[in-house]
């Protein structure tokens, strides 16, 4: 009746009719049983062990649940070389059990439906598929395979498969693969917004490309929900969420509200260098240049701003071709925090980028006096050597 796991038990023929009558008479003498008998835990049919594998793409997940047959049959016989096109038919197969008739695909495993669950909407081989749990079936081929996602995910095998329940079909190509004794589902490629699910068995694999159609939107919706719970009781969550939206340049109106919450919301907000910088970044992303500059000036002058904060903020200006702007920031901070590492180094870098190696050398030597021992001091010494040769200390 089935090749990769038994179907529900039934009488082999009408010859069991008399025995059934006798059994019915015996059961009539027993106490009444519950209307819905509960199953007990026994070894899986055909010893095809259950397995579950999950892969995340950021907040989104893909989970495959299946029963795993092996190349060697339960009686120990070796079926290597007899799986594809043999045990697993090419195309549809015909079954005398269930309702699929001559149009029975392969269940992609053994026993109950192999299922795949998508926590969020995805694309499969470029085609849209809604979030949910699907029965996973296949039409095998020598090279070309059809992957079927059925809206019915609770059936036994493919015996009751009905094409009208298809949610999606995609075509993929199989490929040679290192030997796998047990049928396995694995994720071959694991990117932030995509993955490749691969069915692997015997000497073959069937890869299926899965991707998120809008990764940033999923993060945005996730952040909104999270900020309504415990992460929203502290300014860090609002600040980090605002930073993400500003970096991705999405939902910037909410990003500004969230950044402002991090700065000043009652019982939650805290005005400090980091929260003000986040607010400035969002304002700049929204095109509010004057407001962004004013907010950043407030951040730089804030008592919470450390010398390291200033250096990390202004150094990228040098790389962006704005050494004069960086120099002004470093000089203002140095007046407020004299001899603080690494402000003099920032001044030296700014002068060096402007071609004033003499001034750069002066401040580089000053920074050496306060540089922490170890890699930082060694690095400054290398920079001084470059300046003494008339070379830009910023260039590697």
């Amino acid at each position: 009746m089935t090749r990769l796991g038994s179907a529900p038990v039934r009488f082999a023929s009408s010859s069991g009719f008399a025995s059934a009558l006798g059994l019915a008479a015996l059961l009539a003498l027993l106490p009444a049983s519950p209307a819905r008998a509960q199953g007990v835990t026994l070894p899986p049919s055909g010893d095809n062990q259950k397995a579950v594998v999950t892969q995340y793409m950021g907040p989104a997940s893909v989970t495959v649940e299946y029963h795993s047959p092996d190349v060697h049959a339960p009686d120990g016989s070796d079926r290597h070389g007899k799986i594809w096109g043999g045990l697993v038919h090419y195309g549809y197969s015909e079954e005398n059990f269930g309702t699929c008739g001559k149009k029975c695909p392969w269940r992609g495993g053994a026993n109950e439906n192999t299922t795949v669950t998508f926590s969020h909407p995805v694309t499969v081989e470029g085609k849209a598929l809604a979030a949910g749990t699907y029965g996973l079936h296949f039409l095998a081929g020598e090279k070309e395979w059809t992957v079927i996602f059925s809206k019915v995910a609770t059936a036994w095998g493919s015996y009751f498969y009905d094409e009208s329940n298809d949610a999606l079909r995609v075509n993929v190509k199989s490929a040679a693969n290192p030997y796998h004794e047990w049928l396995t589902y694995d994720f071959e490629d694991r990117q932030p917004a995509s993955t490749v699910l691969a069915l692997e068995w015997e000497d073959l694999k069937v890869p299926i490309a899965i991707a998120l159609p809008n990764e940033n939107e999923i993060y945005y919706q996730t952040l909104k929900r999270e900020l309504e719970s415990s992460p929203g009781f502290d300014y860090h969550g609002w600040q980090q969420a605002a930073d993400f939206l500003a970096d991705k340049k999405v939902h910037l109106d909410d990003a500004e509200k969230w950044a402002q919450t991090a700065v000043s919301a009652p019982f939650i907000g805290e005005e400090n260098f980091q929260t003000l910088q986040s607010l400035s970044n969002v304002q700049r992303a929204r095109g509010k240049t004057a407001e962004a500059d004013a907010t950043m000036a407030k951040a730089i002058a804030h008592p919470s701003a450390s010398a390291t904060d200033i250096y990390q903020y202004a150094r990228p200006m040098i790389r962006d071709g704005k050494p004069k702007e960086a120099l002004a920031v470093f000089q203002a901070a140095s007046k407020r925090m004299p001899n603080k590492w690494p402000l003099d180094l920032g001044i030296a870098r700014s002068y060096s980028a402007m071609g004033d190696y003499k001034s750069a050398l002066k401040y580089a030597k000053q920074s050496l006096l306060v540089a922490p021992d170890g890699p930082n001091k060694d690095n400054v010494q290398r920079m001084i050597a470059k300046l003494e040769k008339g070379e830009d200390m910023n260039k590697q």
Side-chain angles (χ1 to χ4, degrees), residues 152-303:
V152 175
T154 56
W156 181 277
S158 297
Y159 299 108
F160 301 94
Y161 168 79
D162 187 332
E163 188 174 327
S164 67
N165 292 318
D166 287 359
L168 178 68
R169 286 188 174 208
V170 296
N171 293 326
V172 299
K173 292 186 182 297
S174 61
N177 200 46
Y179 179 81
H180 280 64
E181 172 68 19
W182 287 273
L183 184 149
T184 302
Y185 285 90
D186 193 13
F187 292 93
E188 289 188 323
D189 192 24
R190 306 175 187 188
Q191 302 301 321
S194 64
T195 188
V196 175
L197 171 64
L199 182 158
E200 301 177 305
W201 196 23
E202 198 211 43
D203 303 317
L204 192 78
K205 70 175 178 181
V206 182
I208 308 164
I210 299 168
L212 297 178
N214 193 336
E215 175 191 13
N216 292 336
E217 186 65 22
I218 291 173
Y219 272 106
Y220 167 66
Q221 296 296 338
T222 300
L223 290 168
K224 282 183 66 177
R225 290 194 300 271
E226 289 176 344
L227 291 174
E228 293 172 351
S229 59
S230 56
F233 297 166
D234 180 86
Y235 77 85
H236 291 92
W238 295 93
Q239 179 195 347
Q240 291 165 0
D243 285 343
F244 174 81
L245 297 184
D247 179 62
K248 301 301 181 181
K249 294 182 172 51
V250 295
H251 296 286
L252 292 177
D253 51 345
D254 276 347
E256 186 169 4
K257 293 174 185 176
W258 295 355
Q260 192 63 61
T261 298
V263 171
S264 59
F267 309 108
I268 296 174
E270 179 178 309
E271 183 181 286
N272 57 42
F273 177 84
Q274 283 77 24
T275 56
L276 288 169
Q277 184 180 32
S278 293
L279 178 57
S280 174
N281 290 340
V282 175
Q283 290 169 336
R284 198 171 305 280
R286 296 198 72 187
K288 299 179 177 181
T289 304
E291 290 182 39
D293 289 344
T295 302
M296 196 64 225
K298 186 176 183 180
I300 293 170
H302 198 277

Side-chain angles (χ1 to χ4, degrees), residues 316-369:
M317 294 180 183
I318 300 173
R319 293 196 298 264
D320 294 341
K322 301 176 180 179
K324 290 184 180 180
E325 290 88 337
L327 178 62
V329 172
F330 285 129
Q331 288 175 329
S334 183
K335 288 180 181 179
R336 185 160 55 89
M337 295 178 282
N339 301 317
K340 282 286 187 179
W341 169 264
L343 294 177
D344 283 339
L345 180 63
I347 294 174
R349 283 186 177 277
S350 300
Y351 276 127
S352 180
M354 295 161 62
D356 186 350
Y357 297 148
K358 181 179 178 180
S359 297
L361 183 59
K362 172 188 172 181
Y363 283 97
K365 288 181 176 180
Q366 285 183 199
S367 72
L368 184 62
L369 299 176

